[in-house]
């Protein structure tokens, strides 16, 4: 049996001397404890060294993808084909299928072969002669770096420098367009000021001015290509009664040249935006789905590159662009900002004010995953971005509906209530505020006051029945009675006397007084 062994320095083919030892898989590692024991199990038959790192990288990438490279094919034809009756032990079953299909060689892959490969790897320096250990380690390190770069897919299609330049140019064009349009409106406004308020769209304004020229040409000019019929009629009507000053042909020529510049820059901006959209979908499709083309491009531009942005955690992506506010808040010990450039994403924009912080945090977490997938992943589809965006939209709906829920009677379950719908009520004009004369309600209040003044008189007639002079007499009579009665009985009698005095008529009171006086005289006589 022959063994195909791959190293960073080249391909090695070993001859198995004692195949009976392969049957004992569990104890096979003991045969490779020392170099002397290992030489009794396998022997080096041929070693093909790589010429440079490029050849080693090509061979390694072909092995990882399960393909047979040129150098491997050459050594198999040269060495193994001579002994076609021998079996070839390999470490990858997929590669064995390719070798068997193309070269018609019987390949073996089993747990015993895997244990044999592990033993050869432990004693590789002793089994492969002619390679110093320092050279093997240097070649292994170089191949590892080259293979890592290949795995990260640093291809020309993923050059994000174009995105950084395109978004910077787009921002500059927006600033210049605003300055040009403002200058054009102010300049032409001296000649025809009314048209500035009638035509609000900047591009339509510049095209209309370019077509009209002088104000006197409005009546004979067809503006149907740039304006609707109603706006066109309004412009022609305003031209007849315009308050603008007269200008020369040279001034009109300069204004029209400025309008040409605005139209050209606007068309180029549209073309640049389409280019930026296509580049973003090619380089960072998942990030584009999550936050949009412009916000994604600004995040990449702010970080410097897509790879630098992938190194940032989600918390940094969330406040990227608000660094001044962050450090100001840390200095003054106030609340730190909740969002930066990510605030302009559509998901954050359509959220209510109280939920913007939560959505921006969740969006930053998902966007950071999308950035790393775009920067380091092998696939170029946007399936992950679409799936995460759907989850965020579902979470957003849940948060928005949570605000209009109320707790049910049990206090545990949440009962949904209907959404509030504003119904505009038609208000009727109240004519009562027009009159300065006192209203009917005031007269009624005045009559009620008179009645209230009259009613207390009848109440006061009842109150004089309680004569204040009689109360001390009753108290003196109570003091003259014998002191055998208890205090509680005295208080009860006094209360009864007071109630009787409030209810009994004045004639009955006088008769009672006479009887009391008689009793007092009799007691004194005794």
């Amino acid at each position: 049996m022959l063994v195909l062994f791959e190293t960073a320095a080249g391909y090695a083919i070993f001859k198995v001397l004692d195949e009976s030892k392969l049957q004992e898989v569990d104890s096979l590692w003991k045969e490779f404890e020392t170099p002397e024991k290992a030489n009794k199990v396998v022997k080096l038959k041929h070693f093909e060294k790589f010429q440079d790192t490029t050849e080693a990288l090509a061979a390694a990438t072909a092995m990882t993808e399960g393909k047979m490279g040129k150098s491997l094919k050459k050594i198999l034809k040269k060495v193994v084909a001579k002994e076609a009756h021998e079996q070839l032990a390999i470490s990858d079953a997929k590669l064995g299928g390719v070798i068997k299909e193309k070269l018609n060689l019987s390949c073996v892959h089993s747990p015993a072969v895997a244990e044999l490969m592990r033993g050869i790897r432990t004693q590789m320096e002793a089994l492969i002669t002619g390679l110093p250990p320092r050279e093997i380690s240097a070649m292994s390190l170089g191949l590892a770096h080259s293979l890592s770069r290949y795995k990260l897919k640093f291809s020309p299609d993923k050059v994000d420098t174009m995105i950084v330049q395109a978004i910077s140019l787009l921002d500059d064009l927006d600033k210049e367009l605003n300055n040009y349009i403002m200058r054009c409106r102010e300049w032409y406004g001296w000649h025809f000021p009314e048209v500035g308020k009638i035509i609000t769209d900047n591009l339509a304004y510049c095209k209309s001015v370019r077509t009209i020229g002088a104000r006197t040409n409005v009546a004979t000019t067809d503006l149907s290509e740039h304006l609707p019929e109603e706006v066109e009629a309004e412009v022609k009507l305003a031209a007849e009664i315009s308050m603008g000053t007269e200008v020369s042909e040279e001034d009109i020529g300069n204004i029209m040249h400025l309008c040409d510049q605005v139209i050209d820059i606007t068309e180029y901006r549209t073309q640049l935006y389409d280019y930026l959209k296509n580049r973003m979908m090619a380089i960072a499709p998942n990030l584009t789905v999550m936050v949009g083309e412009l916000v994604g491009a600004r995040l990449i531009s702010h970080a410097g590159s897509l790879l630098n942005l992938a190194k940032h955690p989600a918390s940094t992506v969330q406040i990227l662009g608000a660094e001044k506010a962050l450090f100001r808040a840390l200095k003054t010990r106030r609340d730190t900002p909740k969002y930066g450039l990510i605030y302009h994403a559509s998901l954050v924009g359509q959220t209510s004010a109280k939920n913007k912080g939560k959505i921006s945090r969740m969006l930053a977490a998902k966007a950071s995953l999308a950035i790393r997938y775009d920067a380091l992943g092998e696939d170029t589809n946007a399936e992950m971005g679409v799936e995460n965006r759907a989850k965020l939209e579902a979470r957003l709906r849940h948060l928005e509906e949570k605000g209009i829920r109320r707790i049910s009677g049990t206090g545990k379950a949440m009962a949904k209530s209907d959404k509030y719908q504003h119904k505009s009520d038609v208000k009727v004009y109240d004519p009562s505020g027009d009159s300065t004369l006192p209203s009917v309600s005031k007269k009624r209040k005045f009559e009620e006051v008179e009645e209230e003044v009259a009613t207390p008189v009848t109440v006061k007639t009842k109150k004089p029945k309680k004569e204040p002079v009689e109360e001390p007499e009753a108290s003196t009579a109570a003091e003259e009675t014998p002191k055998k009665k208890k205090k509680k009985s005295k208080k009860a009698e006094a209360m009864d006397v007071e109630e009787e005095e409030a209810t009994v008529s004045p004639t009955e009171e006088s008769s009672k007084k006479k009887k009391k006086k008689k009793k007092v005289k009799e007691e004194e006589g005794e």
Side-chain angles (χ1 to χ4, degrees):
M1 179 184 285
L2 300 177
V3 180
L4 175 64
F5 185 75
E6 308 94 5
T7 66
Y11 289 113
I13 295 179
F14 291 94
K15 173 76 173 176
V16 180
L17 301 177
D18 190 0
E19 295 185 9
S20 61
K21 293 182 179 180
L22 296 178
Q23 296 177 359
E24 301 175 0
V25 180
D26 297 333
S27 61
L28 187 61
W29 61 274
K30 296 179 181 178
E31 304 296 332
F32 290 91
E33 287 180 343
T34 59
E36 292 78 10
K37 289 183 178 181
N39 285 318
K40 294 178 181 179
V41 179
V42 292
K43 181 183 178 182
L44 181 65
K45 186 177 179 67
H46 182 77
F47 183 75
E48 186 73 20
K49 188 178 179 181
F50 295 133
Q51 298 295 327
D52 52 8
T53 310
T54 306
E55 186 180 356
L57 177 62
T61 51
M63 290 288 292
T64 53
E65 293 174 0
K67 298 178 181 178
M68 186 170 56
K70 292 182 179 179
S71 57
L72 179 60
K73 191 175 182 179
K74 181 180 178 182
I75 192 175
L76 289 177
K77 285 183 177 180
K78 182 179 178 181
V79 180
V80 183
K82 294 179 181 178
E83 301 179 7
H85 60 282
E86 294 279 356
Q87 287 185 333
L88 181 66
I90 56 170
S91 59
D92 188 7
K94 188 178 179 181
L95 179 63
V98 176
I99 294 173
K100 187 176 182 180
E101 181 182 352
K102 291 188 176 181
L103 299 178
N104 198 16
L105 296 174
S106 60
C107 300
V108 180
H109 176 72
S110 62
V113 172
E115 193 68 27
L116 179 64
M117 294 284 185
R118 192 176 293 112
I120 294 174
R121 191 173 293 110
T122 55
Q123 301 294 336
M124 181 176 62
E125 296 176 1
L127 292 174
I128 301 175
T129 57
L131 280 177
R134 183 178 295 179
E135 187 176 350
I136 293 178
S137 61
M139 295 184 75
S140 300
L141 183 63
L143 180 60
H145 288 172
S146 302
L147 192 60
S148 300
R149 290 193 190 96
Y150 176 78
K151 283 285 187 183
L152 291 178
K153 297 286 185 182
F154 286 133
S155 61
D157 297 334
K158 290 207 170 185
V159 176
D160 46 14
T161 311
M162 305 302 171
I163 289 178
V164 176
Q165 298 297 331
I167 191 64
S168 302
L169 180 57
L170 198 67
D171 293 338
D172 293 340
L173 285 179
D174 288 335
K175 292 178 183 177
E176 292 300 323
L177 269 176
N178 288 332
N179 291 333
Y180 279 20
I181 290 166
M182 181 182 67
R183 183 62 57 202
C184 182
R185 282 179 174 271
E186 186 178 354
W187 198 351
Y188 193 70
W190 285 101
H191 178 58
F192 194 1
E194 291 81 8
V195 75
K197 295 180 180 179
I198 297 171
I199 305 174
T200 55
D201 184 60
N202 293 325
L203 185 60
Y205 179 86
C206 292
K207 288 181 178 180
S208 301
V209 171
R210 182 74 181 82
T211 308
I212 293 170
R215 184 183 61 205
T216 54
N217 301 331
V218 175
T220 59
T221 306
D222 183 19
L223 298 174
S224 59
E225 295 181 3
H226 315 306
L227 302 174
E229 294 181 0
E230 300 83 6
V231 180
E232 183 182 1
E234 196 173 350
V235 169
K236 290 183 177 181
L237 181 63
E240 298 176 358
I241 55 172
S242 178
M243 300 293 292
T245 59
E246 297 294 332
V247 294
S248 63
E249 291 293 332
E250 187 178 359
D251 296 330
I252 293 293
N254 285 321
I255 294 172
M256 293 171 68
H257 183 65
L258 179 59
C259 291
D260 290 336
Q261 294 292 324
V262 172
I263 294 168
D264 292 341
I265 293 175
T266 306
E267 291 176 354
Y268 175 63
R269 187 200 177 282
T270 307
Q271 178 185 352
L272 183 65
Y273 177 72
D274 293 337
Y275 164 76
L276 179 64
K277 188 189 299 185
N278 294 333
R279 293 298 292 174
M280 281 297 295
M281 285 303 296
I283 294 175
N286 294 284
L287 178 63
T288 305
V289 171
M290 292 295 296
V291 298
E293 301 89 7
L294 292 177
V295 178
R298 286 193 173 93
L299 287 172
I300 294 173
S301 175
H302 198 83
S305 67
L306 184 63
L307 191 62
N308 289 344
L309 186 62
K311 295 175 183 177
H312 290 319
S315 57
T316 306
V317 174
Q318 181 181 351
I319 60 170
L320 208 64
E323 288 85 1
K324 288 185 179 179
L326 174 65
F327 293 120
R328 192 190 311 121
L330 293 175
K331 277 185 179 180
T332 56
R333 295 185 180 179
R334 294 183 180 177
D335 294 337
T336 54
K338 295 180 181 178
Y339 27 67
L341 291 170
I342 208 170
Y343 178 81
H344 301 287
S346 59
L347 278 173
V348 181
Q350 67 189 16
T351 314
S352 58
K354 64 177 182 179
N355 293 327
K356 283 187 186 294
K358 290 182 180 179
I359 288 297
S360 62
R361 184 176 66 250
M362 290 186 286
L363 180 61
K366 297 296 184 184
S368 64
L369 290 177
I371 292 163
R372 291 165 191 169
Y373 189 83
D374 290 332
L376 308 174
E378 297 180 0
D379 298 333
T380 56
N381 53 15
E383 292 179 0
M384 191 193 76
V386 173
E387 183 180 352
N388 287 336
R389 186 179 176 89
K391 289 181 182 178
L392 284 176
E393 288 174 351
R395 176 64 177 159
L396 174 59
R397 285 194 298 271
H398 175 70
L399 288 175
E400 292 295 331
E401 291 174 2
K402 190 178 180 181
I404 56 172
R405 289 183 179 182
R406 57 181 177 81
I407 301 176
S408 62
T410 58
K412 295 179 181 178
M414 299 291 286
K416 287 187 178 180
S417 59
D418 296 333
K419 287 187 178 181
Y420 171 75
Q421 293 181 352
H422 177 67
K423 297 178 181 179
S424 59
D425 298 329
V426 179
K427 294 184 178 181
V428 182
Y429 178 71
D430 186 12
S432 61
D434 295 342
S435 177
T436 57
L437 297 174
S439 60
V440 181
S441 60
K442 289 183 180 179
K443 286 183 180 179
R444 288 178 181 173
K445 287 182 180 178
F446 186 69
E447 291 171 359
E448 290 174 1
V449 170
E450 286 182 349
E451 290 177 0
E452 290 175 0
V453 173
T455 49
V457 178
T458 57
V459 176
K460 287 180 180 178
T461 54
K462 295 179 181 178
K463 288 182 180 179
K465 290 180 180 179
K466 296 181 181 180
E467 295 179 1
V469 183
E470 295 172 358
E471 292 179 356
E473 290 179 1
S475 62
T476 52
E479 291 174 0
E480 291 173 355
T481 55
K483 297 181 179 180
K484 295 180 181 180
K485 297 178 181 179
K486 294 180 181 180
K487 293 181 181 181
K488 292 183 180 179
S489 63
K490 287 181 180 180
K491 289 181 181 179
E493 287 177 1
M495 293 293 290
D496 295 336
V497 170
E498 287 177 2
E499 290 178 358
E500 288 174 358
E501 286 175 359
T503 55
V504 178
S505 61
T507 55
E508 292 175 354
E509 290 179 359
S510 60
S511 62
K512 284 184 178 182
K513 289 178 183 178
K514 289 178 181 180
K515 289 178 181 179
K516 288 180 181 179
K517 287 179 180 180
K518 287 180 181 180
K519 287 181 180 181
V520 172
K521 287 179 181 180
E522 288 175 358
E523 290 174 358
E524 288 177 355
E526 292 176 357

